[in-house]
Amino acid sequence: MAALLMAATMGLSAQRPMSAPKGGKAISDELIGIFFEDINNSADGGLYAELVQNGSFEFSPADRDGWGAGTAWRQIRPGHSLGTVQVRMDNPLHPNNATYMRLHTERTREFHDYKGWKGFGLQNDGFDGISVKAGAKYDFSVFFRNIGGAKQVRVVLAKPGQGWGADPTVLDETTLNVSSTSWKKYEAVLTPSEDCKNANLQILVLTVGDLDIDQVSLMPEDTYKGHGLRKDLAQALADLNPKFMRFPGGCVVHGGGDGFWNTYRWKTTIGPREQRRQLKNTWGYHQSCGLGYYEYFQFCEDLGMEPVPILPSGVSCQGTNGGWNMWPTQAQDVVPMSEMDEWVAEAIDLIEWANGDPATNKWAKMRADAGHPAPFNLKYLGIGNEEKISPEFIERFKYIYERVTKAHPEIVIVGTAGPGSHKDNPDYEAGWKLAEELDMPILDEHYYEKNDYFLNKRQYDNYPRDRKTKVYLGEYAAKDKKLIDALAEGLYLLHVERNADVVCMTSYAPLFARKNGTQWNPDLIYYDNERPFLTCSYYVQQLFGQSSGQYYYGDCVTFEGDAAGVIQPQENVHYGQSVILNVKTRKLFVKLVNAGDQPKKANINLGRFGLKKFATMTTLSGNADDENTFDAQPIAPKTEQVKAKKKFSLDLQPYSMVMLEYQL
């Protein structure tokens, strides 16, 4: 199976892989990945670099009470110009983007105290202000449709005036001449003259008459690999060294509490931005889908990650219509069996879009037309997201699973173990029964618990070794973001590595959270318009992501005071170790976690490995309740070069993690 047991004979272009010394257990080297869901405003105003909020005027009260087409916009009329703004939906830019604004300008005039500011129009403040850098280039675009005579439109990137009545400062501007009587895209490049954290974008009509406007965009040119993602946030993900990315959810996949009508449909997210169907976000805001399936796959390629898209199973989240309060008695929304072929096609068409030949397949041609003629080489496909394992779910899952695997047996299907993957949960038992009945390759388990769960539970030691179905721990986290929580997760990941013949993939969740826009805590990375704030858990994930390999050695480290033959981590023991060999990169990693309040001495014997002269030691340590916040970040890894020794002892401080990296 693609996720498991990479053989020692697999080669690199630069050098032949080494052989593995005796005593190692073959494990998955795709163990650490990421899970992206648009929760906590993670896409618009986050990873997706667009700086204009509601640029298509598609916000509505269905997204959030009090919202509408004008949300994030305000009417402006400097120089006491006059006009009105009208919401329109007739003859739109595209049926998927039905709402636009008509600007009716009655008078433009300039009063002496406005120093050149005149016109009638709209202003957008972005997401808590538009943050721009001096000298950087920002691509502005908009669709206009002129009504009547030609119009002049002034586009201004402005810094707000300081104090009441103060004039704004022009950071940069351009004037567009609009004459087309049908929808036409107009573009310009704006280059701010100074840094500004709270800039705004002004669109001012300078000519009397009517003008239609839609799909306003301001995008930094300097995005991650030029692909439209915010550079610092994308780099924070790259620094985790993830092996895969699961997307787009989560509850977003099947509509969450809003019902199956709000299901995420990948086909409406791959075309030009102005043609994508936007939708209400499960978490109480709006999704522009500017970050869509094409961008997800492109980002996976940019980071060398396997894409793991998740598609609906024909059954809604059990939280629909208040079901979380009534669960497990609440019935799910379900697709009639007579309509299930549509959802089979949803999966098969995605595989062909990602992997097919543009010369023979219409979906593959759409991929090529978007700029990617080569296949994305999709290997994994998830069906369903922690739905209650009801008879309705089982019937529909089987229907999709059997037809997709018949059409594309090369694709590794990821199923779901339901909400809350614990042995006292009937959905967990039913999910595993279904997986074994179908010989499913991978089953997705989820659990969020207090840190004592991760400190004390070691359930994968007891999972059957003869199961064909492997585990993907797709969502997990300790329920706080202090150092002790991160170390508990680290200790648990040592347990997972020891059992990485059973567990093939893991991903912490949720991934991102925007300051002033967070619905769920804790999260791995917090951010504002200026920078990301990395949590203690982020640094633990980073160490594990950097130390992937194909073989696990459990007998290289012992702890002073333990009985002979004891291999840590053990249940209810808050320290542990893991030694991982990567035969492809010729690196050896020793990871040690002490989540207790007393120091521990580790005795390390690496005599079976041929070590080079020096090693890199990374330490993460502090007080149990230390926490990285927007105001202070006391926890960060410290790295030093040390002399490589084959046999030595290491003192582990309380509440610490140490990783030693050796080149072989």
Side-chain angles (χ1 to χ4, degrees):
M1 196 170 67
L4 292 173
L5 312 185
M6 295 297 229
T9 55
M10 291 183 65
L12 293 177
S13 59
Q15 59 182 5
R16 291 175 58 84
M18 64 177 290
S19 60
K22 292 182 179 180
K25 176 168 66 173
I27 62 171
S28 167
D29 65 355
E30 294 182 343
L31 196 59
I32 304 298
I34 55 177
F35 161 45
F36 183 91
E37 179 173 13
D38 191 356
I39 184 174
N40 306 315
N41 295 268
S42 295
D44 297 320
L47 185 60
Y48 181 48
E50 175 61 62
L51 297 173
V52 173
Q53 185 175 186
N54 191 21
S56 59
F57 308 106
E58 295 297 322
F59 282 29
S60 80
D63 300 320
R64 181 173 293 176
D65 287 345
W67 279 18
T71 297
W73 294 93
R74 60 191 181 98
Q75 177 181 298
I76 55 173
R77 52 188 193 93
H80 289 267
S81 300
L82 296 178
T84 58
V85 179
Q86 183 183 22
V87 178
R88 301 287 292 256
M89 299 183 72
D90 55 307
N91 300 314
L93 177 59
H94 191 274
N96 286 344
N97 181 11
T99 309
Y100 62 93
M101 292 293 192
R102 175 162 293 179
L103 303 179
H104 171 69
T105 305
E106 294 181 8
R107 181 182 72 188
T108 63
R109 68 185 288 189
E110 177 184 339
F111 275 24
H112 64 85
D113 56 346
Y114 278 82
K115 298 179 182 177
W117 287 88
K118 66 176 182 178
F120 172 78
L122 297 171
Q123 175 178 311
N124 192 286
D125 296 322
F127 300 87
D128 300 322
I130 297 174
S131 179
V132 295
K133 303 297 181 185
K137 295 183 183 300
Y138 297 85
D139 293 332
F140 169 82
S141 65
V142 62
F143 280 84
F144 284 131
R145 179 171 60 189
N146 184 41
I147 310 297
K151 307 290 189 303
Q152 276 200 327
V153 181
R154 185 185 185 210
V155 179
V156 186
L157 191 58
K159 176 181 178 181
Q162 303 301 308
W164 185 86
D167 293 329
T169 300
V170 175
L171 300 174
D172 198 13
E173 65 175 306
T174 190
T175 300
L176 303 173
N177 294 306
V178 180
S179 58
S180 176
T181 56
S182 59
W183 286 111
K184 180 181 177 180
K185 189 175 185 179
Y186 294 81
E187 298 175 285
V189 177
L190 299 175
T191 306
S193 56
E194 60 180 274
D195 290 357
C196 184
K197 295 181 180 180
N198 63 333
N200 58 63
L201 180 70
Q202 299 185 17
I203 301 171
L204 294 163
V205 183
L206 305 179
T207 310
V208 171
D210 289 346
L211 182 68
D212 294 337
I213 178 173
D214 203 357
Q215 201 67 33
V216 183
S217 172
L218 185 68
M219 180 76 76
E221 286 190 0
D222 188 19
T223 60
Y224 191 77
K225 298 196 176 183
H227 290 156
L229 301 188
R230 184 172 144 178
K231 201 170 184 180
D232 57 347
L233 298 185
Q235 187 60 54
L237 299 184
D239 291 343
L240 289 169
N241 197 31
K243 299 302 183 292
F244 66 88
M245 183 172 80
R246 170 183 164 214
F247 59 88
C251 289
V252 165
V253 167
H254 50 203
D258 293 312
F260 205 73
W261 67 270
N262 199 40
T263 294
Y264 192 103
R265 307 298 295 267
W266 71 267
K267 292 178 181 178
T268 64
T269 74
I270 59 172
R273 302 295 196 279
E274 67 273 12
Q275 296 181 14
R276 298 186 182 186
R277 182 179 69 87
Q278 305 183 30
L279 72 161
K280 178 185 177 182
N281 184 279
T282 294
W283 303 104
Y285 52 93
H286 187 86
Q287 285 179 275
S288 75
C289 294
L291 175 55
Y293 258 59
Y294 183 84
E295 290 75 25
Y296 284 130
F297 273 80
Q298 192 174 55
F299 187 50
C300 288
E301 187 174 73
D302 286 343
L303 263 63
M305 303 181 291
E306 296 290 347
V308 186
I310 310 297
L311 294 181
S313 62
V315 175
S316 76
C317 174
Q318 54 276 359
T320 297
N321 302 319
W324 288 117
N325 298 322
M326 295 176 276
W327 181 79
T329 60
Q330 174 74 12
Q332 296 162 304
D333 287 345
V334 299
V335 173
M337 288 302 299
S338 60
E339 299 175 10
M340 280 301 297
D341 284 345
E342 175 184 347
W343 299 94
V344 173
E346 189 91 351
I348 291 175
D349 291 346
L350 174 61
I351 296 167
E352 293 174 349
W353 174 81
N355 293 353
D357 182 354
T360 59
N361 183 274
K362 71 173 186 177
W363 294 106
K365 186 176 184 302
M366 291 180 67
R367 182 197 72 233
D369 290 345
H372 202 284
F376 280 117
N377 299 316
L378 175 68
K379 294 195 298 186
Y380 299 109
L381 177 64
I383 299 174
N385 170 71
E386 67 175 39
E387 294 90 353
K388 179 175 174 56
I389 312 300
S390 62
E392 293 83 1
F393 169 84
I394 292 172
E395 182 180 20
R396 285 153 181 80
F397 182 91
K398 282 184 176 180
Y399 193 87
I400 297 175
Y401 180 87
E402 290 168 354
R403 285 155 180 80
V404 172
T405 53
K406 181 178 180 180
H408 287 282
E410 77 281 6
I411 297 296
V412 178
I413 299 296
V414 181
T416 176
S421 301
H422 302 294
K423 291 194 173 183
D424 58 351
N425 187 324
D427 290 303
Y428 168 86
E429 300 293 345
W432 269 105
K433 181 179 178 181
L434 177 62
E436 291 173 345
E437 176 187 340
L438 297 175
D439 282 339
M440 199 182 301
I442 303 175
L443 194 66
D444 184 9
E445 297 188 346
H446 294 178
Y447 38 89
Y448 300 92
E449 300 290 340
K450 294 181 179 179
N451 62 42
D452 59 358
Y453 179 91
F454 297 99
L455 288 169
N456 298 321
K457 296 296 182 182
R458 301 290 178 267
Q459 72 268 29
Y460 295 122
D461 286 342
N462 301 317
Y463 273 40
R465 261 47 199 177
D466 58 354
R467 275 179 175 166
K468 292 184 178 179
T469 304
K470 304 302 178 183
V471 176
Y472 167 30
L473 179 49
E475 294 184 34
Y476 75 97
K479 289 185 174 180
D480 208 341
K481 47 185 181 289
K482 296 180 172 58
L483 178 59
I484 184 60
D485 302 289
L487 293 175
E489 293 157 357
L491 188 64
Y492 194 75
L493 283 173
L494 295 179
H495 159 67
V496 169
E497 282 189 324
R498 183 171 68 197
N499 290 282
D501 55 332
V502 169
V503 184
C504 62
M505 297 187 290
T506 70
S507 50
Y508 181 104
L511 187 60
F512 282 123
R514 180 177 177 83
K515 185 179 182 181
N516 303 325
T518 300
Q519 298 87 45
W520 180 293
N521 278 299
D523 306 285
L524 197 65
I525 302 168
Y526 293 78
Y527 65 91
D528 60 16
N529 286 344
E530 298 298 307
R531 56 165 289 189
F533 297 85
L534 308 177
T535 63
C536 301
S537 292
Y538 173 91
Y539 291 119
V540 168
Q541 292 288 323
Q542 184 180 55
L543 290 174
F544 277 88
Q546 291 171 345
S547 57
S548 65
Q550 300 80 31
Y551 290 92
Y552 167 87
Y553 293 82
D555 59 349
C556 297
V557 180
T558 59
F559 289 92
E560 198 166 280
D562 286 353
V566 171
I567 298 175
Q568 300 298 348
Q570 295 292 319
E571 191 165 327
N572 298 314
V573 176
H574 298 166
Y575 54 90
Q577 57 84 23
S578 178
V579 176
I580 302 295
L581 173 65
N582 191 315
V583 297
K584 294 189 287 185
T585 63
R586 299 172 181 252
K587 287 185 176 181
L588 183 73
F589 302 93
V590 178
K591 293 190 287 287
L592 308 162
V593 172
N594 182 9
D597 60 0
Q598 298 296 316
K600 292 297 298 182
K601 182 182 289 292
N603 299 313
I604 302 168
N605 187 341
L606 305 176
R608 74 189 76 178
F609 305 102
L611 308 179
K612 291 196 174 178
K613 189 173 182 180
F614 293 100
T616 300
M617 183 167 73
T618 303
T619 303
L620 197 67
S621 64
N623 301 310
D625 290 334
D626 283 346
E627 179 180 337
N628 288 350
T629 68
F630 284 98
D631 299 318
Q633 295 83 47
I635 301 300
K638 296 177 176 61
T639 301
E640 60 181 312
Q641 191 177 60
V642 297
K643 187 175 180 180
K645 299 178 181 178
K646 289 196 171 186
K647 192 172 183 180
F648 63 102
S649 295
L650 188 66
D651 291 321
L652 285 178
Q653 297 303 308
Y655 307 115
S656 67
M657 177 175 177
V658 173
M659 184 175 81
L660 292 157
E661 176 183 333
Y662 300 88
Q663 189 68 52
L664 306 182

